[in-house]
Amino acid sequence: LKPFWLKPSCPRPSSVFAPLSRRPPALAAMLRVALRTRAADAYSGCRPTARQWIGQPKRRSCQVSRPARSSAEAKKGDGISVDVEYSGLWGAIVTFPKRQPFATNIIVATVKTSLADLIVQKGEGKKDIDWSRNGVFTLFGFAYLGVCQWFIYVSLFTRLCPNAIRFSNLSWAEKLKDRAGQVDLVKQTCYDNFIHYTFIYFPVFYTFKELIQASSPAEGAKSESSLVERALGKYWKNCVTDNLYMWSLWVPGDLLVYACPIWMRLPLNHGISLAWTMILSNLRGSEK
């Protein structure tokens, strides 16, 4: 048998195996393009096609495209606030808590705390409102319950309990099957009642109370460290009673609060807190 290059239908050896400088110009140009394309594709890790091997005029890189998601599949909101469509003034009012949960928290906390104290003062049969006492609850509601508790409940607790936001936004049927979320639910309840309320909430409340309700100007003009010492001294006397009242309401209350959708967490918290603020105002509001 004759070698394949000696067959009439095959090109001569000089046209195939000869150096590029001795080959016909058109064939040499095609081989150069093919070699450059093959080297570039080997470097980029892509598998070249037949078109790239032979006829591609210039070097290209391989790009892998991902399927584009439709706008309906894209996530809306940040897990806390929710992007919702609305029309008109009533629609803006109804959807405001979902769209602006932080602002809603501040408004509800301030109004709720002041209102609870006014209700208790009227229930005590007072003819004149003690605005100094009401100022304690109003300022405490705005600064601590409105601003600081947002950081504690939404920012801090969701980091300590990474399944918190995901669990809270599930349906109730899905919550019953989510063991990791249930564990974080119990953890948040324990953090809130046995750490936050006991060691942060009550000391801050007594400090606000001592700052505004100082029994005399001379006492109110004392140093800041002395004011904190007096506030903590009063809390120490009442700590057992205060925390028992707190836990009896908030342990079951927190289990509900931390299981609801995240945007509704603090509004629901303030709904339960309205009852708690009345209890606290009745217990400690009139004390000097």
Side-chain angles (χ1 to χ4, degrees):
L1 297 176
K2 295 182 179 180
F4 71 92
W5 58 80
L6 296 180
K7 292 182 181 180
S9 60
C10 296
R12 294 178 62 83
S14 60
S15 62
V16 176
F17 299 102
L20 291 178
S21 59
R22 296 175 54 188
R23 292 175 183 171
L27 180 60
M30 292 176 60
L31 289 175
R32 287 192 184 95
V33 171
L35 290 173
R36 286 199 299 267
T37 303
R38 185 174 183 181
D41 291 335
Y43 177 77
S44 62
C46 301
R47 185 176 181 179
T49 63
R51 184 181 183 88
Q52 289 175 324
W53 273 63
I54 300 175
Q56 189 170 344
K58 60 182 180 179
R59 174 181 174 180
R60 293 181 182 177
S61 61
C62 177
Q63 295 180 352
V64 180
S65 62
R66 296 180 180 178
R69 294 183 178 180
S70 65
S71 58
E73 295 177 350
K75 290 185 178 180
K76 294 184 177 181
D78 57 3
I80 300 173
S81 62
V82 180
D83 294 335
V84 292
E85 296 181 359
Y86 65 91
S87 60
L89 178 61
W90 178 248
I93 295 173
V94 171
T95 60
F96 185 80
K98 290 186 177 182
R99 295 183 290 108
Q100 302 291 339
F102 178 64
T104 302
N105 178 62
I106 293 178
I107 295 170
V108 173
T110 306
V111 174
K112 172 263 305 181
T113 312
S114 177
L115 179 63
D117 178 64
L118 292 175
I119 293 173
V120 171
Q121 289 196 46
K122 285 296 184 181
E124 292 174 350
K126 291 187 176 182
K127 295 181 180 180
D128 297 326
I129 298 296
D130 185 349
W131 292 110
S132 174
R133 165 179 168 176
N134 186 257
V136 173
F137 286 91
T138 303
L139 182 60
F140 182 69
F142 171 79
Y144 187 78
L145 302 182
V147 179
C148 293
Q149 279 196 350
W150 176 272
F151 168 76
I152 293 171
Y153 287 146
V154 177
S155 301
L156 181 61
F157 277 17
T158 52
R159 292 194 178 192
L160 294 174
C161 305
N163 298 300
I165 293 180
R166 180 188 57 78
F167 177 79
S168 64
N169 291 327
L170 295 176
S171 66
W172 290 103
E174 292 172 326
K175 286 183 172 73
L176 294 176
K177 302 176 183 177
D178 190 342
R179 183 60 59 85
Q182 293 170 7
V183 171
D184 277 359
L185 173 64
V186 175
K187 285 167 62 178
Q188 289 176 97
T189 302
C190 293
Y191 289 152
D192 197 19
N193 283 273
F194 306 122
I195 298 177
H196 166 226
Y197 286 143
T198 303
F199 299 105
I200 302 175
Y201 176 93
F202 278 121
V204 172
F205 169 75
Y206 276 93
T207 302
F208 271 90
K209 189 172 183 299
E210 190 68 20
L211 177 65
I212 297 177
Q213 286 188 325
S215 59
S216 65
E219 185 179 356
K222 290 182 179 180
S223 65
E224 183 178 352
S225 60
S226 179
L227 182 147
V228 173
E229 289 175 2
R230 295 197 310 272
L232 294 180
K234 291 181 179 180
Y235 172 49
W236 179 254
K237 296 177 183 178
N238 302 323
C239 65
V240 175
T241 303
D242 289 349
N243 282 284
L244 288 177
Y245 272 101
M246 175 71 80
W247 297 336
S248 64
L249 176 65
W250 279 108
V251 169
D254 276 347
L255 291 174
L256 177 62
V257 167
Y258 293 125
C260 72
I262 190 70
W263 66 267
M264 192 181 175
R265 173 174 294 188
L266 285 172
L268 179 59
N269 179 284
H270 292 310
I272 301 174
S273 181
L274 178 65
W276 164 250
T277 307
M278 292 181 183
I279 296 172
L280 184 62
S281 177
N282 186 54
L283 282 174
R284 308 301 173 207
S286 60
E287 286 186 354
K288 297 296 184 180

